Amino acid sequence: MPRIDADLKLDFKDVLLRPKRSSLKSRSEVDLERTFTFRNSKQTYSGIPIIVANMDTVGTFEMAVVMSQHAMFTAVHKHYSLDDWKCFAETHPECLQHVAVSSGSGQNDLERMSRILEAVPQVKFICLDVANGYSEHFVEFVKLVRSKFPEHTIMAGNVVTGEMVEELILSGADIIKVGVGPGSVCTTRTKTGVGYPQLSAVIECADSAHGLKGHIISDGGCTCPGDVAKAFGAGADFVMLGGMFSGHTECAGEVIERNGQKLKLFYGMSSDTAMKKHAGGVAEYRASEGKTVEVPYKGDVENTILDILGGLRSTCTYVGAAKLKELSRRATFIRVTQQHNTVFG
Amino acid sequence: MPHIDNDVKLDFKDVLLRPKRSTLKSRSEVELTRSFSFRNSKQMYSGIPVIAANMDTVGTFEMARVLCKFSLFTAIHKHYSIHQWQEFASQNPDCLECLAASSGSGSADFEQLEQILEAIPQVKYICLDVANGYSEHFVEFVKDVRKRFPQHTIMAGNVVTGEMVEELILSGADIIKVGIGPGSVCTTRKKTGVGYPQLSAVMECADAAHGLKGHIISDGGCSCPGDVAKAFGAGADFVMLGGMLAGHSESGGELIERDGKKYKLFYGMSSEMAMKKYSGGVAEYRASEGKIVEVPFKGDVEHTIRDILGGIRSTCTYVGAAKLKELSRRTTFIRVTQQVNPIFSNSQ
């Protein structure tokens, strides 16, 4: 018999953070840097834990250059060649501590990633990304990668429930990517009916991960700096962004001009567009699970970064957190029915 | 005294499926074909249990020809003549096992149904469809049809509650159509205030039907492949689609061109449009309970079918079901307040 879980699960749009008394005098006093030691790799990380998603439009080397200047992180997409990587490593050695090499669970991906990690040993992060992190095949793959790279920090996902977070951590992953279907260009929920509201997923998965001294990334669903703050408040150690970083100079693809408006293409990595580009089309037995949109061109990503970090600092002052680290301890979410006054849109 | 049922009944939009651990490696490993043996007709069925609705825009012979290639089912609408049936049967003998002949509960409908089934004995399914399956008259009608056709598989509806599912099965129906008012061109809920959220209706009716070894069809309310998956997850044996299959080359009606855009007409079978077409207008004592929409032309239905089947295969891999049969056993629904991130919904 099918079962219905009675308690309602929540999205970012269902909550706001309750203000709390604070002794902070200015937003500028807030420290957004975090330091982590990872459970399995034993590596130590320090930086502002916001990650550019490993999508071929946003997870670019150009993006990584700007991000690393702010101590932010980039999961570089898996479609760069070994030569692209060597060239990047030579010209931008300062960026390498803030990037991850990505791979799916296929044999070709793994071989390509292994060559990159051998050629560029300064890269210490691996991002293992599959649509459905629940398959036993993926668990085996994580174990294999852990045994091949014992000292690299492994991000793995995506999943949305505590028991699978635990399984992946115990299989060798350090940081679990959390999110099924919340992304702005993801159509998994429409195509399959499968998913989990992101705020509840982050709260539940963070709890499981932290119990094992593991970490999580909230991946997808953030549409504004306030959502990023809510994700950290819910317990995310890292927040990964795709749509919010799309449409910038540093994104892949040309600027399109139409009716005097400048646009850039953004699409999900299982969309028709991506599957045509990288796999020669959508296979017969599957549906595309992503969409393609034209987003307004927003100029350099620097401005967007400052907007996000400024928003986060302001959140911290509202709830009295002197450091990003304290945000989740100071977070009380209240349930709401609307986010903002819509009278002027 | 009016009585209020206090637990909230749910629609597809109120839930998502929770992913579960899975040993499947690829969507291509998922088996969508199901086999059933029906309670009263004792007939066997095997196929992918998705049904094109018996609406004159969707349940066409052209649709049936494509759907049967994918082993999907078509409930042919009741407005084809016996000659059209004979012509189709002679040209497409392979499709006949994947379709049903439809009828309302009127005697003219029933006579036409008898003629068709006598002329084409390979058609083994009957779809008895009335707006309100709760009338005693309909129960008697189902009994009469069962007596007249003891070995045909009878689909009957529509109802939305367990006790009426049981009554119709015990009266001779094999498969009960479940759904009142969820359809995209149905206005019953607006015109009458009557209805039942589709997900809860399916869960409750499936439970009632399966207890008697009967089967159900979730009829209406699916707006995307994910909804089809949720209907199966909730326990539906079959899922019937109207709006999702509307607007294709194989759908009934002419192609309309306006401002360089192509459309096709789609309407409910109790809409003014349908009533004018088939009964010379809306009778004085009743309101139309359907609407007329122009849907964007979507080309050949084959693409839509692949999209739906691909979606369900993906659902099965997410919840660890190697077969469609296992989907409802592997289903846990979680309650949600929104389905998708709407941020780019206007910039496709």
Side-chain angles (χ1 to χ4, degrees), chain B residues 56-338:
Chain B
D56 68 352
T57 42
V58 175
T60 62
F61 285 137
E62 293 79 5
M63 190 68 78
R65 220 171 288 154
V66 182
L67 262 53
C68 84
K69 278 196 291 195
F70 289 88
S71 65
L72 268 56
F73 200 92
T74 307
I76 300 290
H77 68 72
K78 66 181 186 184
H79 302 291
Y80 283 118
S81 70
I82 177 78
H83 299 296
Q84 287 170 303
W85 268 97
Q86 280 168 325
E87 193 186 329
F88 178 80
S90 66
Q91 288 166 4
N92 303 279
D94 304 342
C95 285
L96 299 176
E97 58 175 310
C98 296
L99 47 83
S102 304
S103 166
S105 60
S107 55
D109 272 11
F110 185 55
E111 280 163 28
Q112 156 120 355
L113 178 75
E114 281 185 307
Q115 285 176 10
I116 294 166
L117 296 180
E118 273 165 25
I120 312 166
Q122 303 96 306
V123 173
K124 285 290 180 197
Y125 292 84
I126 295 171
C127 178
L128 300 179
D129 185 19
V130 296
N132 174 10
Y134 285 78
S135 85
E136 281 304 296
H137 174 245
F138 184 61
V139 175
E140 292 308 314
F141 183 68
V142 169
K143 287 182 188 163
D144 290 345
V145 177
R146 169 51 68 214
K147 214 175 285 168
R148 174 71 182 77
F149 299 104
Q151 292 177 6
H152 280 69
T153 299
I154 298 177
M155 310 170 168
N158 281 22
V159 301
V160 283
T161 49
E163 87 286 358
M164 204 61 207
V165 167
E166 290 164 353
E167 174 70 18
L168 290 174
I169 290 173
L170 296 174
S171 302
D174 296 289
I175 315 172
I176 308 304
K177 275 177 78 191
V178 173
I180 290 189
S184 54
V185 287
C186 182
T187 58
T188 293
R189 293 184 184 175
K190 255 198 174 144
K191 293 293 172 74
T192 70
V194 176
Y196 212 95
Q198 188 67 4
L199 184 89
S200 294
V202 169
M203 288 183 75
E204 295 168 22
C205 291
D207 195 42
H210 296 161
L212 292 173
K213 301 202 185 303
H215 294 87
I216 68 157
I217 303 171
S218 171
D219 176 17
C222 290
S223 59
C224 56
D227 290 345
V228 182
K230 289 174 190 173
F232 282 124
D237 304 293
F238 295 85
V239 177
M240 183 173 263
L241 304 176
M244 284 178 69
L245 298 177
H248 294 93
S249 321
E250 296 81 1
S251 310
E254 294 304 305
L255 201 58
I256 305 161
E257 284 215 45
R258 188 175 323 117
D259 305 327
K261 279 189 186 156
K262 293 178 178 174
Y263 301 90
K264 273 197 146 183
L265 231 47
F266 178 54
Y267 45 86
M269 293 311 291
S270 292
S271 63
E272 221 180 309
M273 183 81 161
M275 287 202 268
K276 267 188 195 145
K277 207 164 165 184
Y278 300 113
S279 40
V282 182
E284 283 232 331
Y285 59 87
R286 59 182 291 180
S288 80
E289 287 180 24
K291 60 181 172 184
I292 307 163
V293 294
E294 288 177 351
V295 297
F297 178 61
K298 303 174 211 158
D300 294 347
V301 75
E302 183 159 341
H303 305 293
T304 300
I305 295 172
R306 283 189 208 286
D307 197 50
I308 295 170
L309 301 186
I312 303 172
R313 281 195 192 93
S314 184
T315 310
C316 288
T317 59
Y318 269 114
V319 302
K323 300 173 180 174
L324 182 57
K325 185 181 178 179
E326 295 166 13
L327 179 53
S328 76
R329 258 180 277 154
R330 304 277 305 171
T331 289
T332 300
F333 290 113
I334 50 167
R335 290 184 54 195
V336 306
T337 59
Q338 78 174 7

Side-chain angles (χ1 to χ4, degrees), chain A residues 1-11 13-14 131-137 139 160-164 167 180-186 188-197 221-223 243 246 266 270 284-289 291-295, chain B residues 10 14-28 199-200 203 207 224-227 229-230 233-235 306-315 317-319 328-329 331-348:
Chain A
M1 258 292 276
R3 213 169 67 83
I4 296 187
D5 235 348
D7 53 324
L8 189 66
K9 302 295 177 183
L10 301 173
D11 262 307
K13 68 151 189 58
D14 298 319
N132 175 8
Y134 285 78
S135 86
E136 284 303 297
H137 176 242
V139 175
V160 284
T161 49
E163 87 286 359
M164 204 62 207
E167 175 71 18
V180 171
S184 55
V185 287
C186 182
T188 292
R189 293 181 185 177
T190 342
K191 290 298 170 73
T192 71
V194 175
Y196 212 95
C222 290
T223 60
S246 70
F266 179 54
S270 290
E284 284 237 325
Y285 60 86
R286 59 182 289 177
S288 79
E289 287 180 24
K291 62 179 175 180
T292 303
V293 295
E294 288 175 346
V295 298
Chain B
L10 301 172
D14 297 319
V15 300
L16 286 168
L17 287 146
R18 184 186 191 283
K20 290 189 181 164
R21 296 185 66 164
S22 155
T23 53
L24 292 164
K25 281 192 195 133
S26 158
R27 294 168 178 84
S28 61
L199 184 89
S200 294
M203 288 183 75
D207 195 42
C224 56
D227 290 345
K230 289 174 190 173
R306 283 189 208 286
D307 197 50
I308 295 170
L309 301 186
I312 303 172
R313 281 195 192 93
S314 184
T315 310
T317 59
Y318 269 114
V319 302
S328 76
R329 258 180 277 154
T331 289
T332 300
F333 290 113
I334 50 167
R335 290 184 54 195
V336 306
T337 59
Q338 78 174 7
Q339 288 290 309
V340 293
N341 181 337
I343 191 85
F344 292 139
S345 48
N346 295 320
S347 52
Q348 184 98 18

Side-chain angles (χ1 to χ4, degrees), chain A residues 6-261:
Chain A
D7 53 324
L8 189 66
K9 302 295 177 183
L10 301 173
D11 262 307
F12 296 133
K13 68 151 189 58
D14 298 319
V15 299
L16 286 169
L17 286 151
R18 185 183 185 282
K20 288 187 182 166
R21 297 183 65 161
S22 156
S23 55
L24 290 164
K25 284 192 196 121
S26 156
R27 294 172 175 81
S28 63
E29 291 173 21
V30 175
D31 180 7
L32 295 180
E33 282 220 358
R34 294 213 55 182
T35 301
F36 300 122
T37 299
F38 298 111
R39 179 187 197 271
N40 295 315
S41 71
K42 314 290 182 209
Q43 300 281 333
T44 299
Y45 159 91
S46 190
I48 297 179
I50 292 177
I51 308 179
V52 183
N54 51 311
M55 305 168 78
D56 67 358
T57 41
V58 294
T60 62
F61 286 139
E62 294 81 352
M63 194 65 87
V65 172
V66 185
M67 290 295 154
S68 75
Q69 288 161 7
H70 293 271
M72 284 155 74
F73 201 91
T74 306
V76 174
H77 70 71
K78 68 181 187 181
H79 302 289
Y80 283 118
S81 69
L82 178 61
D83 289 337
D84 294 336
W85 269 98
K86 282 184 185 161
C87 172
F88 176 71
E90 233 164 75
T91 51
H92 296 92
E94 76 285 359
C95 293
L96 299 177
Q97 57 170 319
H98 293 293
V99 299
V101 182
S102 303
S103 166
S105 60
Q107 196 55 37
N108 289 345
D109 273 11
L110 177 60
E111 282 167 18
R112 198 194 49 90
M113 179 178 76
S114 304
R115 284 197 295 270
I116 293 166
L117 293 175
E118 271 163 37
V120 192
Q122 306 95 304
V123 174
K124 286 291 181 198
F125 288 84
I126 292 170
C127 177
L128 301 180
D129 185 18
V130 296
N132 175 8
Y134 285 78
S135 86
E136 284 303 297
H137 176 242
F138 184 62
V139 175
E140 292 308 315
F141 184 71
V142 170
K143 287 182 188 164
L144 173 72
V145 175
R146 170 52 69 213
S147 68
K148 280 190 76 161
F149 300 100
E151 288 173 11
H152 281 70
T153 299
I154 299 177
M155 309 170 168
N158 282 23
V159 301
V160 284
T161 49
E163 87 286 359
M164 204 62 207
V165 167
E166 290 164 356
E167 175 71 18
L168 291 175
I169 290 173
L170 296 174
S171 301
D174 297 291
I175 315 173
I176 308 304
K177 274 177 79 192
V178 173
V180 171
S184 55
V185 287
C186 182
T187 58
T188 292
R189 293 181 185 177
T190 342
K191 290 298 170 73
T192 71
V194 175
Y196 212 95
Q198 188 67 3
L199 183 87
S200 294
V202 169
I203 291 175
E204 296 169 22
C205 291
D207 193 45
S208 293
H210 296 162
L212 292 172
K213 300 200 185 305
H215 295 87
I216 69 157
I217 303 171
S218 171
D219 177 16
C222 290
T223 60
C224 56
D227 290 345
V228 180
K230 290 173 189 173
F232 282 122
D237 304 293
F238 295 84
V239 177
M240 183 174 265
L241 304 176
M244 284 180 68
F245 285 136
S246 70
H248 292 96
T249 317
E250 294 80 2
C251 298
E254 297 305 306
V255 175
I256 308 159
E257 286 218 41
R258 177 156 340 108
N259 305 327
Q261 227 196 330

